[in-house]
Amino acid sequence: MIGTGSLAIGLAMVVVFGWWLLGRLRGGRTADERESWERHRAARERDPPVDVGDVVTLGVTDFSSHHSGEVHAVGKVEGFVIFVEDLPEDLAVGDVIRAKVLSFNRGHTSASATYLERE
């Protein structure tokens, strides 16, 4: 006969497996994480709205620390992320700037640019 301990262990394994299976069926992500992933996937599939050498106008939405220690401004053009380098020290979130696109990242999902002037 099956003992009470064996039955409890078996029931616990069924619960753990059920919880894991439910997570896999849901995609293992929250609704916000799934939406973010879908936007990222869509960004990888579209052509960038800018080309290398373009001069763009964008609003500074954030600042990012580059691995070199340099601070980059973050902005978007048609939802496309652009990291701008060579910034003046008094630049702030909300400032509107012009920048020249220098290069794309490997997947063409963002670009690097150099600061030209404040609008």
Side-chain angles (χ1 to χ4, degrees):
M1 292 220 117
I2 299 177
T4 306
S6 297
L7 195 56
I9 291 172
L11 181 59
M13 290 177 62
V14 167
V15 169
V16 169
F17 178 73
W19 189 262
W20 172 81
L21 185 59
L22 180 63
R24 296 295 294 174
L25 293 175
R26 284 187 48 226
R29 297 183 175 100
T30 66
D32 288 341
E33 289 171 331
R34 284 191 302 275
E35 181 180 349
S36 176
W37 173 249
E38 287 300 317
R39 287 183 179 177
H40 178 71
R41 188 181 55 73
R44 289 187 315 200
E45 294 174 358
R46 76 173 187 160
D47 291 330
V50 297
D51 290 316
V52 171
D54 285 356
V55 174
V56 296
T57 301
L58 52 94
V60 177
T61 59
D62 200 0
F63 290 94
S64 171
S65 296
H66 190 261
H67 61 81
S68 66
E70 185 178 350
V71 174
H72 290 181
V74 180
K76 293 184 179 182
V77 172
E78 296 178 29
F80 184 78
V81 177
I82 299 179
F83 296 94
V84 183
E85 57 189 34
D86 301 327
L87 307 171
E89 289 187 24
D90 63 338
L91 195 67
V93 170
D95 287 350
V96 178
I97 62 173
R98 291 173 41 87
K100 183 175 182 176
V101 177
L102 301 175
S103 64
F104 295 104
N105 71 344
R106 187 175 302 158
H108 284 79
T109 57
S110 66
S112 294
T114 190
Y115 173 85
L116 296 176
E117 63 187 353
R118 193 172 306 189
E119 283 281 306

